[in-house]
Amino acid sequence: GAGVSQSPSNKVTEKGKDVELRCDPISGHTALYWYRQSLGQGLEFLIYFQGNSAPDKSGLPSDRFSAERTGGSVSTLTIQRTQQEDSAVYLCASGLAGGTDTQYFGPGTRLTVL
Amino acid sequence: GENVEQHPSTLSVQEGDSAVIKCTYSDSASNYFPWYKQELGKRPQLIIDIRSNVGEKKDQRIAVTLNKTAKHFSLHITETQPEDSAVYFCAASMRGGSQGNLIFGKGTKLSVKP
């Protein structure tokens, strides 16, 4: 079946602009995660949605970052007033449930802030 | 919170040799330990995982061992092939509550020389 998809694949923006990144999880997956991967670095957790529970926002680096998940499916990560240090690959993952269940990653969105 | 350390950061082996990557974690409540392989420009792909009720798991040329007492786990790749060249990430997570996200190590770049 279809895997996790993300759009756009690449996004170039100017410093100070807002951007929205989209994630379509695997159908039926209740858990959805956003991670950030800077060049040559590991994966940094940003936010986690599980079903109808309140999201775990503990990884968001600043209040310029926010995310929502509509109808328990599609998620949008929004970065307001982008800064050059926001440049990274933003990866979305989904799973059947949180914790010890496999997370399947999307292809990522490469964000470049000029 | 959980912290995962991964060593070495780079590893170069000859084709046919074995490769071992080691990770340590800090939170004794962590109970799920996946390993992801990420080829250049691609998404992380799960290659093997282990849960805390198991000490070792093997899948063809890949094996993972877990020592809960010492809080470390290792990836073993035998008979390495050039296509094993990639960045490998270990991770840890904990079931329960909102703690569903993975905490990743910083990655090991494995190069297999023909």
Side-chain angles (χ1 to χ4, degrees):
Chain A
V4 179
S5 60
Q6 292 184 245
S7 61
S9 56
N10 281 284
K11 177 71 176 178
V12 180
T13 191
E14 294 179 346
K15 177 181 173 182
K17 301 278 189 180
D18 298 351
V19 295
E20 285 190 351
L21 312 179
R22 178 188 168 104
C23 172
D24 282 87
I26 293 172
S27 178
H29 281 189
T30 58
L32 187 147
Y33 312 79
W34 283 97
Y35 295 89
R36 177 169 71 174
Q37 187 172 31
S38 301
L39 186 63
Q41 298 296 310
L43 290 89
E44 175 191 6
F45 165 70
L46 298 177
I47 188 168
Y48 160 49
F49 296 90
Q50 174 56 58
N52 296 320
S53 301
D56 176 0
K57 304 178 183 180
S58 60
L60 295 178
S62 78
D63 59 7
R64 296 186 296 105
F65 288 72
S66 63
E68 62 178 22
R69 189 177 185 191
T70 54
S73 180
V74 172
S75 177
T76 302
L77 176 70
T78 301
I79 309 174
Q80 295 178 309
R81 305 181 302 282
T82 52
Q83 304 294 314
Q84 288 183 331
E85 59 263 30
D86 299 335
S87 296
V89 176
Y90 289 82
L91 289 156
C92 173
S94 72
L96 282 171
T100 63
D101 292 291
T102 302
Q103 296 183 24
Y104 299 88
F105 282 85
T109 293
R110 182 176 296 279
L111 175 65
T112 303
V113 182
L114 302 176
Chain B
E2 176 64 278
N3 181 52
V4 176
E5 300 282 343
Q6 183 171 349
H7 299 280
S9 56
T10 60
L11 179 60
S12 182
V13 299
Q14 288 295 133
E15 181 177 1
D17 287 351
S18 294
V20 180
I21 303 170
K22 299 182 179 181
C23 289
T24 60
Y25 60 99
S26 60
D27 191 338
S28 57
S30 289
N31 55 13
Y32 174 61
F33 308 93
W35 286 87
Y36 284 83
K37 174 184 180 183
Q38 188 176 32
E39 297 176 17
L40 190 63
K42 296 189 176 181
R43 74 187 77 187
Q45 299 269 18
L46 179 75
I47 55 171
I48 195 167
D49 57 13
I50 191 167
R51 290 171 171 76
S52 59
N53 58 343
V54 175
E56 183 175 359
K57 184 176 179 181
K58 192 172 183 180
D59 182 4
Q60 299 183 335
R61 297 187 296 108
I62 295 173
V64 57
T65 58
L66 171 66
N67 182 327
K68 289 190 294 182
T69 303
K71 290 189 284 188
H72 67 70
F73 56 112
S74 300
L75 178 71
H76 305 253
I77 306 174
T78 59
E79 301 171 27
T80 53
Q81 301 168 2
E83 52 265 38
D84 294 330
S85 296
V87 179
Y88 291 80
F89 293 97
C90 64
S93 77
M94 182 179 69
R95 177 191 291 277
S98 63
Q99 299 283 335
N101 57 287
L102 292 170
I103 303 298
F104 284 87
K106 293 193 181 299
T108 296
K109 184 176 182 180
L110 173 65
S111 299
V112 180
K113 299 182 177 180

